[in-house]
mmCIF file of all heavy atoms in Angstrom:
data_model
loop_
_atom_site.group_PDB
_atom_site.id
_atom_site.type_symbol
_atom_site.label_atom_id
_atom_site.label_comp_id
_atom_site.label_asym_id
_atom_site.label_seq_id
_atom_site.Cartn_x
_atom_site.Cartn_y
_atom_site.Cartn_z
ATOM 1 N N ASP E 19 -50.136 23.475 -24.662
ATOM 2 C CA ASP E 19 -49.107 22.536 -25.130
ATOM 3 C C ASP E 19 -47.733 23.046 -24.718
ATOM 4 O O ASP E 19 -46.906 22.308 -24.191
ATOM 5 C CB ASP E 19 -49.152 22.391 -26.652
ATOM 6 C CG ASP E 19 -50.445 21.746 -27.107
ATOM 7 O OD1 ASP E 19 -50.969 20.909 -26.305
ATOM 8 O OD2 ASP E 19 -50.924 22.069 -28.194
ATOM 9 N N ALA E 36 -30.676 17.154 -9.458
ATOM 10 C CA ALA E 36 -30.803 16.438 -8.171
ATOM 11 C C ALA E 36 -29.818 15.289 -8.090
ATOM 12 O O ALA E 36 -29.184 15.062 -7.067
ATOM 13 C CB ALA E 36 -32.227 15.919 -8.006
ATOM 14 N N GLY E 54 -0.799 7.570 14.666
ATOM 15 C CA GLY E 54 -1.072 8.061 15.999
ATOM 16 C C GLY E 54 -1.537 9.490 15.849
ATOM 17 O O GLY E 54 -2.409 9.784 15.036
ATOM 18 N N SER E 119 -3.169 -7.333 11.156
ATOM 19 C CA SER E 119 -3.718 -8.687 11.220
ATOM 20 C C SER E 119 -4.798 -8.963 10.168
ATOM 21 O O SER E 119 -4.789 -9.994 9.515
ATOM 22 C CB SER E 119 -4.289 -8.934 12.612
ATOM 23 O OG SER E 119 -5.151 -7.876 12.967
ATOM 24 N N TYR E 125 -7.897 -3.822 1.939
ATOM 25 C CA TYR E 125 -9.162 -4.094 1.240
ATOM 26 C C TYR E 125 -9.992 -2.831 1.008
ATOM 27 O O TYR E 125 -10.865 -2.807 0.158
ATOM 28 C CB TYR E 125 -10.003 -5.086 2.032
ATOM 29 C CG TYR E 125 -9.424 -6.474 2.104
ATOM 30 C CD1 TYR E 125 -9.200 -7.108 3.326
ATOM 31 C CD2 TYR E 125 -9.098 -7.163 0.939
ATOM 32 C CE1 TYR E 125 -8.669 -8.380 3.393
ATOM 33 C CE2 TYR E 125 -8.560 -8.432 0.992
ATOM 34 C CZ TYR E 125 -8.344 -9.041 2.223
ATOM 35 O OH TYR E 125 -7.823 -10.287 2.279
ATOM 36 N N TYR E 137 -8.365 3.808 7.113
ATOM 37 C CA TYR E 137 -7.946 3.768 8.507
ATOM 38 C C TYR E 137 -7.430 2.370 8.837
ATOM 39 O O TYR E 137 -8.124 1.386 8.595
ATOM 40 C CB TYR E 137 -9.136 4.129 9.402
ATOM 41 C CG TYR E 137 -8.809 4.180 10.874
ATOM 42 C CD1 TYR E 137 -7.638 4.782 11.319
ATOM 43 C CD2 TYR E 137 -9.672 3.644 11.816
ATOM 44 C CE1 TYR E 137 -7.334 4.842 12.659
ATOM 45 C CE2 TYR E 137 -9.379 3.699 13.169
ATOM 46 C CZ TYR E 137 -8.214 4.303 13.586
ATOM 47 O OH TYR E 137 -7.910 4.351 14.914
ATOM 48 N N ASP E 142 -2.574 2.204 13.741
ATOM 49 C CA ASP E 142 -2.915 3.607 14.063
ATOM 50 C C ASP E 142 -2.640 4.548 12.895
ATOM 51 O O ASP E 142 -2.209 5.691 13.106
ATOM 52 C CB ASP E 142 -2.078 4.108 15.259
ATOM 53 C CG ASP E 142 -2.791 3.844 16.566
ATOM 54 O OD1 ASP E 142 -3.847 3.210 16.521
ATOM 55 O OD2 ASP E 142 -2.261 4.270 17.603
ATOM 56 N N LYS E 144 -3.869 6.641 9.481
ATOM 57 C CA LYS E 144 -5.081 7.164 8.843
ATOM 58 C C LYS E 144 -4.707 8.000 7.630
ATOM 59 O O LYS E 144 -3.767 8.791 7.693
ATOM 60 C CB LYS E 144 -5.816 8.026 9.859
ATOM 61 C CG LYS E 144 -7.213 8.432 9.445
ATOM 62 C CD LYS E 144 -7.734 9.483 10.398
ATOM 63 C CE LYS E 144 -8.621 8.899 11.460
ATOM 64 N NZ LYS E 144 -9.218 9.934 12.316
ATOM 65 N N TYR E 150 -11.951 16.771 3.832
ATOM 66 C CA TYR E 150 -12.629 15.509 4.129
ATOM 67 C C TYR E 150 -14.136 15.709 4.265
ATOM 68 O O TYR E 150 -14.595 16.600 4.962
ATOM 69 C CB TYR E 150 -12.055 14.931 5.425
ATOM 70 C CG TYR E 150 -12.820 13.768 5.971
ATOM 71 C CD1 TYR E 150 -13.004 12.619 5.216
ATOM 72 C CD2 TYR E 150 -13.368 13.822 7.243
ATOM 73 C CE1 TYR E 150 -13.707 11.546 5.720
ATOM 74 C CE2 TYR E 150 -14.068 12.751 7.765
ATOM 75 C CZ TYR E 150 -14.243 11.620 6.999
ATOM 76 O OH TYR E 150 -14.939 10.577 7.509
ATOM 77 N N HIS E 151 -14.910 14.888 3.573
ATOM 78 C CA HIS E 151 -16.357 14.838 3.748
ATOM 79 C C HIS E 151 -16.691 13.437 4.223
ATOM 80 O O HIS E 151 -16.344 12.463 3.567
ATOM 81 C CB HIS E 151 -17.093 15.120 2.435
ATOM 82 C CG HIS E 151 -17.101 16.561 2.084
ATOM 83 N ND1 HIS E 151 -15.980 17.202 1.628
ATOM 84 C CD2 HIS E 151 -18.071 17.490 2.153
ATOM 85 C CE1 HIS E 151 -16.283 18.477 1.404
ATOM 86 N NE2 HIS E 151 -17.545 18.669 1.725
ATOM 87 N N GLU E 152 -17.356 13.345 5.338
ATOM 88 C CA GLU E 152 -17.648 12.038 5.910
ATOM 89 C C GLU E 152 -18.489 11.211 4.941
ATOM 90 O O GLU E 152 -19.444 11.704 4.349
ATOM 91 C CB GLU E 152 -18.404 12.218 7.224
ATOM 92 C CG GLU E 152 -18.390 10.955 8.053
ATOM 93 C CD GLU E 152 -19.521 10.911 9.054
ATOM 94 O OE1 GLU E 152 -20.445 11.730 8.967
ATOM 95 O OE2 GLU E 152 -19.475 10.011 9.897
ATOM 96 N N PRO E 154 -21.197 8.412 3.716
ATOM 97 C CA PRO E 154 -22.430 7.866 4.292
ATOM 98 C C PRO E 154 -22.397 6.340 4.395
ATOM 99 O O PRO E 154 -23.364 5.735 4.839
ATOM 100 C CB PRO E 154 -23.499 8.328 3.311
ATOM 101 C CG PRO E 154 -22.777 8.449 2.017
ATOM 102 C CD PRO E 154 -21.361 8.823 2.332
ATOM 103 N N ILE E 156 -20.785 2.991 5.996
ATOM 104 C CA ILE E 156 -19.991 2.559 7.152
ATOM 105 C C ILE E 156 -20.013 1.039 7.201
ATOM 106 O O ILE E 156 -21.056 0.419 6.986
ATOM 107 C CB ILE E 156 -20.597 3.117 8.462
ATOM 108 C CG1 ILE E 156 -20.498 4.648 8.477
ATOM 109 C CG2 ILE E 156 -19.914 2.523 9.686
ATOM 110 C CD1 ILE E 156 -21.198 5.305 9.647
ATOM 111 N N ILE E 157 -18.851 0.436 7.457
ATOM 112 C CA ILE E 157 -18.819 -1.015 7.657
ATOM 113 C C ILE E 157 -18.593 -1.273 9.135
ATOM 114 O O ILE E 157 -17.664 -0.726 9.728
ATOM 115 C CB ILE E 157 -17.705 -1.674 6.820
ATOM 116 C CG1 ILE E 157 -18.006 -1.515 5.335
ATOM 117 C CG2 ILE E 157 -17.579 -3.162 7.168
ATOM 118 C CD1 ILE E 157 -17.006 -2.174 4.414
ATOM 119 N N ILE E 158 -19.464 -2.068 9.731
ATOM 120 C CA ILE E 158 -19.273 -2.380 11.160
ATOM 121 C C ILE E 158 -18.950 -3.859 11.323
ATOM 122 O O ILE E 158 -19.278 -4.659 10.480
ATOM 123 C CB ILE E 158 -20.501 -2.023 12.008
ATOM 124 C CG1 ILE E 158 -21.759 -2.700 11.468
ATOM 125 C CG2 ILE E 158 -20.690 -0.542 12.089
ATOM 126 C CD1 ILE E 158 -22.892 -2.710 12.415
ATOM 127 N N LYS X 3 -54.497 17.612 -20.186
ATOM 128 C CA LYS X 3 -53.361 18.526 -20.130
ATOM 129 C C LYS X 3 -53.147 19.038 -18.709
ATOM 130 O O LYS X 3 -52.034 19.214 -18.253
ATOM 131 C CB LYS X 3 -53.560 19.683 -21.105
ATOM 132 C CG LYS X 3 -53.331 19.254 -22.545
ATOM 133 C CD LYS X 3 -53.773 20.315 -23.495
ATOM 134 C CE LYS X 3 -53.624 19.823 -24.925
ATOM 135 N NZ LYS X 3 -54.261 20.739 -25.856
ATOM 136 N N TYR X 30 -20.998 22.095 2.835
ATOM 137 C CA TYR X 30 -20.738 21.257 4.003
ATOM 138 C C TYR X 30 -19.320 20.694 3.966
ATOM 139 O O TYR X 30 -18.845 20.278 2.913
ATOM 140 C CB TYR X 30 -21.713 20.069 4.061
ATOM 141 C CG TYR X 30 -23.014 20.412 4.738
ATOM 142 C CD1 TYR X 30 -24.090 20.889 3.999
ATOM 143 C CD2 TYR X 30 -23.159 20.276 6.104
ATOM 144 C CE1 TYR X 30 -25.285 21.221 4.608
ATOM 145 C CE2 TYR X 30 -24.343 20.605 6.736
ATOM 146 C CZ TYR X 30 -25.408 21.079 5.974
ATOM 147 O OH TYR X 30 -26.577 21.403 6.593
ATOM 148 N N SER X 32 -16.564 18.233 6.677
ATOM 149 C CA SER X 32 -16.558 17.411 7.882
ATOM 150 C C SER X 32 -15.280 17.665 8.654
ATOM 151 O O SER X 32 -14.204 17.769 8.074
ATOM 152 C CB SER X 32 -16.632 15.928 7.503
ATOM 153 O OG SER X 32 -17.736 15.700 6.660
ATOM 154 N N SER X 36 -9.565 12.023 16.319
ATOM 155 C CA SER X 36 -9.421 10.651 16.841
ATOM 156 C C SER X 36 -8.732 10.679 18.188
ATOM 157 O O SER X 36 -7.916 11.560 18.465
ATOM 158 C CB SER X 36 -8.597 9.810 15.867
ATOM 159 O OG SER X 36 -9.265 9.727 14.639
ATOM 160 N N PHE X 38 -6.633 7.977 20.824
ATOM 161 C CA PHE X 38 -5.976 6.671 20.743
ATOM 162 C C PHE X 38 -5.768 6.067 22.120
ATOM 163 O O PHE X 38 -5.555 6.783 23.107
ATOM 164 C CB PHE X 38 -4.640 6.811 20.004
ATOM 165 C CG PHE X 38 -4.831 7.314 18.595
ATOM 166 C CD1 PHE X 38 -4.722 8.647 18.296
ATOM 167 C CD2 PHE X 38 -5.181 6.433 17.586
ATOM 168 C CE1 PHE X 38 -4.933 9.117 17.008
ATOM 169 C CE2 PHE X 38 -5.392 6.885 16.293
ATOM 170 C CZ PHE X 38 -5.268 8.236 16.002
ATOM 171 N N ASN X 44 -9.374 2.697 19.952
ATOM 172 C CA ASN X 44 -9.372 4.073 19.456
ATOM 173 C C ASN X 44 -10.802 4.570 19.256
ATOM 174 O O ASN X 44 -11.718 3.778 19.071
ATOM 175 C CB ASN X 44 -8.618 4.148 18.125
ATOM 176 C CG ASN X 44 -7.209 3.612 18.254
ATOM 177 O OD1 ASN X 44 -6.597 3.717 19.307
ATOM 178 N ND2 ASN X 44 -6.699 3.005 17.201
ATOM 179 N N SER X 225 -21.026 11.277 13.139
ATOM 180 C CA SER X 225 -21.055 9.986 13.839
ATOM 181 C C SER X 225 -19.900 9.927 14.830
ATOM 182 O O SER X 225 -18.913 10.664 14.693
ATOM 183 C CB SER X 225 -20.928 8.836 12.832
ATOM 184 O OG SER X 225 -19.707 8.931 12.134
ATOM 185 N N HIS X 238 -26.520 11.778 7.961
ATOM 186 C CA HIS X 238 -25.444 12.166 7.056
ATOM 187 C C HIS X 238 -25.865 13.437 6.329
ATOM 188 O O HIS X 238 -27.018 13.552 5.899
ATOM 189 C CB HIS X 238 -25.129 11.057 6.055
ATOM 190 C CG HIS X 238 -23.915 11.362 5.249
ATOM 191 N ND1 HIS X 238 -23.986 11.993 4.039
ATOM 192 C CD2 HIS X 238 -22.598 11.188 5.517
ATOM 193 C CE1 HIS X 238 -22.759 12.174 3.576
ATOM 194 N NE2 HIS X 238 -21.906 11.694 4.464
ATOM 195 N N TYR X 239 -24.933 14.384 6.200
ATOM 196 C CA TYR X 239 -25.303 15.707 5.700
ATOM 197 C C TYR X 239 -25.888 15.682 4.287
ATOM 198 O O TYR X 239 -26.665 16.555 3.929
ATOM 199 C CB TYR X 239 -24.100 16.662 5.756
ATOM 200 C CG TYR X 239 -23.053 16.393 4.713
ATOM 201 C CD1 TYR X 239 -23.020 17.119 3.530
ATOM 202 C CD2 TYR X 239 -22.123 15.397 4.895
ATOM 203 C CE1 TYR X 239 -22.078 16.857 2.559
ATOM 204 C CE2 TYR X 239 -21.179 15.118 3.933
ATOM 205 C CZ TYR X 239 -21.166 15.861 2.767
ATOM 206 O OH TYR X 239 -20.234 15.584 1.812
ATOM 207 N N GLN X 241 -26.838 12.412 2.578
ATOM 208 C CA GLN X 241 -27.626 11.220 2.262
ATOM 209 C C GLN X 241 -28.745 10.947 3.250
ATOM 210 O O GLN X 241 -29.522 10.031 3.049
ATOM 211 C CB GLN X 241 -26.711 9.982 2.224
ATOM 212 C CG GLN X 241 -25.524 10.080 1.284
ATOM 213 C CD GLN X 241 -25.927 9.922 -0.166
ATOM 214 O OE1 GLN X 241 -26.768 10.667 -0.648
ATOM 215 N NE2 GLN X 241 -25.349 8.969 -0.862
ATOM 216 N N TYR X 244 -27.330 6.718 7.080
ATOM 217 C CA TYR X 244 -26.067 6.078 6.696
ATOM 218 C C TYR X 244 -26.365 4.675 6.177
ATOM 219 O O TYR X 244 -27.285 4.004 6.659
ATOM 220 C CB TYR X 244 -25.144 5.933 7.900
ATOM 221 C CG TYR X 244 -24.487 7.210 8.340
ATOM 222 C CD1 TYR X 244 -25.176 8.133 9.125
ATOM 223 C CD2 TYR X 244 -23.178 7.490 7.997
ATOM 224 C CE1 TYR X 244 -24.561 9.305 9.545
ATOM 225 C CE2 TYR X 244 -22.565 8.657 8.421
ATOM 226 C CZ TYR X 244 -23.268 9.563 9.186
ATOM 227 O OH TYR X 244 -22.659 10.716 9.608
ATOM 228 N N LYS X 245 -25.557 4.236 5.227
ATOM 229 C CA LYS X 245 -25.644 2.834 4.805
ATOM 230 C C LYS X 245 -24.682 2.046 5.694
ATOM 231 O O LYS X 245 -23.472 2.267 5.647
ATOM 232 C CB LYS X 245 -25.239 2.703 3.339
ATOM 233 C CG LYS X 245 -25.344 1.279 2.835
ATOM 234 C CD LYS X 245 -24.852 1.190 1.406
ATOM 235 C CE LYS X 245 -24.875 -0.241 0.906
ATOM 236 N NZ LYS X 245 -24.268 -0.353 -0.424
ATOM 237 N N SER X 247 -23.010 -1.357 6.450
ATOM 238 C CA SER X 247 -22.730 -2.703 5.939
ATOM 239 C C SER X 247 -22.169 -3.548 7.077
ATOM 240 O O SER X 247 -21.321 -3.078 7.832
ATOM 241 C CB SER X 247 -21.717 -2.636 4.800
ATOM 242 O OG SER X 247 -22.247 -1.874 3.748
ATOM 243 N N THR X 249 -19.987 -6.493 8.639
ATOM 244 C CA THR X 249 -18.801 -7.299 8.319
ATOM 245 C C THR X 249 -19.174 -8.774 8.252
ATOM 246 O O THR X 249 -19.848 -9.297 9.147
ATOM 247 C CB THR X 249 -17.713 -7.091 9.393
ATOM 248 O OG1 THR X 249 -17.296 -5.738 9.330
ATOM 249 C CG2 THR X 249 -16.510 -7.997 9.156
ATOM 250 N N GLU X 258 -13.950 -9.796 -2.950
ATOM 251 C CA GLU X 258 -14.082 -8.637 -2.067
ATOM 252 C C GLU X 258 -15.551 -8.321 -1.760
ATOM 253 O O GLU X 258 -15.863 -7.737 -0.718
ATOM 254 C CB GLU X 258 -13.404 -7.416 -2.698
ATOM 255 C CG GLU X 258 -13.017 -6.407 -1.637
ATOM 256 C CD GLU X 258 -12.221 -5.241 -2.167
ATOM 257 O OE1 GLU X 258 -11.353 -5.459 -3.020
ATOM 258 O OE2 GLU X 258 -12.493 -4.130 -1.707
#
Side-chain angles (χ1 to χ4, degrees):
Chain E
D19 294 329
S119 50
Y125 293 125
Y137 182 43
D142 270 5
K144 191 191 262 185
Y150 170 58
H151 283 73
E152 196 202 12
I156 295 174
I157 295 182
I158 55 164
Chain X
K3 285 169 184 170
Y30 274 91
S32 306
S36 298
F38 299 95
N44 304 329
S225 61
H238 188 267
Y239 73 97
Q241 305 285 57
Y244 285 80
K245 181 183 177 186
S247 299
T249 295
E258 203 174 320

